[in-house]
Structures are given as structure tokens and as C-alpha cells.
Amino acid sequence: MLSNLRNRPLYLYLCILLFPFIYVVKISLLDNQSGSGALLSSSVLSLNIIKGNMIEDRPAEKDNMSSNVTPKFDFETTMPHTPAAPSPDYESSKIQDSADIKSARDFLIAEGANRLEDDYEIPPALRKIINNVDERVAVPPSQKALSVQIRHNCHEMELDGVVKRARLVYFNRKHKLLYIANPKCGSTSFKMFLNRLEGDTKPYSEMTNVHNPDDNSFLHDLYKEPYEFQQYALKNYYKVTTVRNPLVRLVSGYRNKILRRPVQNYIGIVKRILYQEHHNKERAQKWAPNKKYRPSFEKFAEFMLESKILFSNYHFAPYADNIALCNIKFNLILQLETMNEQLEILKKEVPSLKDIPFPPSRSEDSRDQFSSEELTMLAFSNVSDTLKERIYSAYYKELYVLGYSVIEDSTFPFLKLANVSIHR
């Protein structure tokens, strides 16, 4: 027996001797994952961080995108700044009459599904709500003021020490432009603009399949480039992203993905809401986009929150982390609500873009009679206070870090830093 042991490799004895120690350390780290142990266990990861920007090699963090718990955000106790003044018209513009409530729901569905009759007369109660937001105009805050607010709020919420990697980043070498894409925040228009910068001469109305670099040779994905170039571009290129009031973005996504003509996974979402609403399995299974049924905004929002799809689908999910808002030092954050004014800033700061036109918006192109901002005010007029708070909590980073207004604010749908006035 002794002779057999002598023939065993030395590393086998070392493993036997060290096993208890390794096991104890492993258990200790696991027990402390929620505290300092999480930092200990992650210290072996390779993090490559550019100061002021970020690019890293690490596993996906647990955040609001993957969490199964809707975050609760208490605006009254958490916000260090004074909230925007409540709109004096808000209470009076809330729909009270049951017939008007039904009219609002029917109108939103018919408008979104392109079923409005040519001679449709919008009820006075609905028109009042739409006019309330339509009369507001804003001068966007300076990028410097917005950057100071973002840095302050990221620090207040202890988000500036959490490394986030922007999900979608595209670049143009000639103009040294870096675009951090943000779905449902004008990303289609900006990608068309990048196509034009790369030499695509087709009219904007004829540009299709612009989202995927595999289908669009004019779109260049930063993460497919060598690591050294990624570092260089993040440090030296002009960095721009687009943002939008998250409440308007939610309603816009509802109109675009659910009301107009649902495809792929969105068909499944409508079927599931239909089943929850009527408990008729056969009817839900047979539903197709050519059928008349569409869920109301309230039913849609409740389902998206309960199913957690709101946090996993990038067209609806909170976007602050996806654009690495607290990590990247942006040269310009374009707000969709004041896009035209800020495009002039972009062309001034990147002079080579001066004579290149930007794609028109849907309302500018006369494709939509009503703006998403107007329809958002109308959609939320039917939403209960409880559901509204749940939606606000889901988008707490966008509402707090960026400082977007909520429905009740007189500055809605703009940033609270914007100079908002009434134009009649």
C-alpha cells in the first residue's frame, strides 16, 4: 500500500490537503454575494475601463432589465430637487365621464390602428386634453447644465460607480461620430442619417432594414472593431445619443407594436392580454392582426408590468443603463421633444455635417395626425393612480437621472431643466 501511495503524483496530495480550505473560501464568498463578497468574487474578472467613458469585458449585471421585481421609487423622499409645478389644467383635463373614458380608449385604438374615419370628430373632452400639451413649447437646456445634473443625480443614486456597457454603438470614421443607439427614441432616423453619411444616396423614404449591420452595410458596429479602436473612438469621437420622455416612449411603443399591425412576439402579447381579459382560450388562440380586437393602453401596461416584459423588451424597457448614461461623457444628448433645435447644435459642433439633411419625423412627414406626446396625455387620462405610480417606478432612472417630467407636471413632456412656455 505504501508503495502504491509513493507512485501517486504530488499534485494529488496537494489537492487533498487544500480541498477543505478551498471549500470554506467558496462558501464564504457565496454567503457574502449580496455584500462585499460580491466585490471579492468579481475581483478576478477582467475589467478594462476608460476613464470618463467605458468599455469592459464582464458578465451581464443584475439590473432592472433582468430583475423580476418592479423597483419602487418614492419621489417624495428620494428626489433632492423640487419637482416641477403641477399643471393647473391637469385636474380639470382628467376624464371623469364614463362615456368619454370609453371614447378615449376607442379613439387611441382606432388612431393607432389607422381606423379613424376621415370625418371623425374628436370629442371636446379629448380635444381639451390634446390641446393642453400641444400648446407647450420648450427651449432645451444646455448640454453643460444637463451633464451637471446627470453627474449629480448618478452620484446621489450611487450609480456612477456601477460600470455599464452601452448596448448598441455605431460609428462614422469620416466625421468622427459615435452614436449610442436607443430604441424608440429616434434610432431609425439616426441610423438613416448614418447611412447618408456613409454614402447611401437613396431617399430617406426608401431606406429599409437599417437596424441590423448584417443587413445594412452602411451601419458600422463599434463592438465588431478591434479593441484598441473601440478605446480610441470612445475617447476621441463626438459621442451622441437620443433620449425621450419614457412615458411617451411607452405609448409610442404601444401604438407601433400593438395597435398598428403586431408581428412576431407582439402577436403573442396581444393573445395573452386577450385571454386575460376574456378568459376565452379558443378566441385568444385564433386571434390574428387582421382581427378588430386591440387591448386598451391600461390593459397593455398592466400586462407588461406583471409579465416583466416591460423590463426585457428593449422597445419598452428602461433605457438609462442601455446607453450607459452614468458612464459615458456625452458631447450631446438629443431629446426627441426638442430634436430640431438640437440638431443645429450637432451640426455646429461637427461642422462637416452642416449641409447634410436629417430625416423628417413622422408628424413632419404627415404620416401622423397627432403627436405621441398628445396621445400620451390622453392615454394616461384613463390610468389609475396606482398603475401610474407603478409605471413611474419602472422608469425611475429616466425620470430622475435625466429629469423628465411626469404627466402631472406643467413641463410635461419635456425635461424639467427646459424652459417651457405656453404658445396659443
Side-chain angles (χ1 to χ4, degrees), residues 38 72 165 356:
K72 179 61 180 172
R165 182 179 191 261
I356 304 173

Side-chain angles (χ1 to χ4, degrees), residues 89 92-93 122-133:
D89 300 322
S92 62
S93 67
I122 186 168
L126 276 59
R127 171 60 69 184
K128 182 178 181 181
I129 293 173
I130 286 175
N131 288 345
N132 186 26
V133 69

Side-chain angles (χ1 to χ4, degrees), residues 199-236:
D200 190 346
T201 58
K202 291 195 298 291
Y204 282 130
S205 59
E206 296 178 13
M207 290 185 185
T208 57
N209 299 323
V210 298
H211 291 287
N212 192 340
D214 294 335
D215 303 322
N216 180 7
S217 60
F218 295 106
L219 191 63
H220 303 303
D221 186 346
L222 181 68
Y223 296 137
K224 291 184 178 180
E225 298 298 311
Y227 177 71
E228 291 75 16
F229 177 73
Q230 294 180 36
Q231 288 183 307
Y232 175 82
L234 280 164
K235 185 177 182 181
N236 296 288

Side-chain angles (χ1 to χ4, degrees), residues 56-337:
E56 77 279 17
D57 177 19
R58 76 217 184 314
E61 309 96 333
K62 285 187 177 180
D63 57 21
N64 291 334
M65 289 294 299
S66 57
S67 173
N68 288 326
V69 179
T70 303
K72 179 61 180 172
F73 187 64
D74 186 347
F75 287 92
E76 296 299 324
T77 59
T78 311
M79 293 186 71
H81 304 304
T82 303
S87 168
D89 300 322
Y90 176 71
E91 286 300 324
S92 62
S93 67
K94 287 178 70 174
I95 296 178
Q96 305 292 342
D97 187 85
S98 59
D100 287 334
I101 289 174
K102 184 179 185 305
S103 294
R105 288 176 181 151
D106 293 344
F107 168 75
L108 282 168
I109 290 172
E111 190 280 335
N114 294 321
R115 295 180 192 152
L116 281 182
E117 300 291 337
D118 292 337
D119 59 349
Y120 176 80
E121 290 273 341
I122 186 168
L126 276 59
R127 171 60 69 184
K128 182 178 181 181
I129 293 173
I130 286 175
N131 288 345
N132 186 26
V133 69
D134 184 46
E135 292 170 347
R136 299 174 188 174
V137 294
V139 176
S142 69
Q143 181 60 39
K144 182 177 180 180
L146 183 56
S147 296
V148 168
Q149 174 182 275
I150 289 171
R151 285 199 302 272
H152 176 272
N153 292 345
C154 286
H155 183 72
E156 284 284 318
M157 296 182 69
E158 299 181 350
L159 298 172
D160 47 358
V162 181
V163 178
K164 296 288 181 182
R165 182 179 191 261
R167 178 173 166 264
L168 300 169
V169 185
Y170 305 104
F171 68 94
N172 175 272
R173 290 181 190 270
K174 179 180 178 181
H175 301 278
K176 290 194 171 183
L177 187 67
L178 209 62
Y179 172 53
I180 293 81
N182 193 3
K184 295 303 299 173
C185 293
S187 62
T188 300
S189 295
F190 212 99
K191 287 172 184 176
M192 288 180 176
F193 185 61
L194 289 176
N195 272 26
R196 179 70 82 240
L197 300 185
E198 292 289 343
D200 190 346
T201 58
K202 291 195 298 291
Y204 282 130
S205 59
E206 296 178 13
M207 290 185 185
T208 57
N209 299 323
V210 298
H211 291 287
N212 192 340
D214 294 335
D215 303 322
N216 180 7
S217 60
F218 295 106
L219 191 63
H220 303 303
D221 186 346
L222 181 68
Y223 296 137
K224 291 184 178 180
E225 298 298 311
Y227 177 71
E228 291 75 16
F229 177 73
Q230 294 180 36
Q231 288 183 307
Y232 175 82
L234 280 164
K235 185 177 182 181
N236 296 288
Y237 276 28
Y238 189 93
K239 293 171 285 295
V240 60
T241 192
T242 49
V243 297
R244 188 182 201 176
N245 188 301
L247 310 179
V248 178
R249 179 171 171 262
L250 177 63
V251 172
S252 175
Y254 163 69
R255 293 172 65 213
N256 179 254
K257 301 297 182 183
I258 303 298
L259 297 183
R260 283 186 186 141
R261 191 169 179 86
V263 296
Q264 300 173 345
N265 295 338
Y266 300 103
I267 293 176
I269 289 175
V270 175
K271 286 183 176 181
R272 290 171 67 182
I273 298 173
L274 176 59
Y275 177 73
Q276 285 185 356
E277 196 170 343
H278 297 283
H279 303 287
N280 187 324
K281 186 175 182 181
E282 183 179 359
R283 182 185 174 190
Q285 288 176 336
K286 288 183 177 180
W287 186 87
N290 61 349
K291 301 284 187 180
K292 186 177 181 180
Y293 171 81
R294 294 292 190 276
S296 68
F297 175 71
E298 306 97 284
K299 294 291 184 184
F300 162 77
E302 286 173 356
F303 173 81
M304 295 294 280
L305 286 164
E306 294 295 336
S307 65
K308 312 304 177 189
I309 294 175
L310 186 77
F311 301 100
S312 59
N313 183 302
Y314 288 108
H315 289 94
F316 301 102
Y319 59 75
D321 291 344
N322 286 331
I323 62 172
L325 184 64
C326 290
N327 294 105
I328 294 178
K329 287 185 177 178
F330 292 98
N331 296 92
L332 184 62
I333 297 177
L334 289 166
Q335 298 116 57
L336 225 60
E337 299 81 14

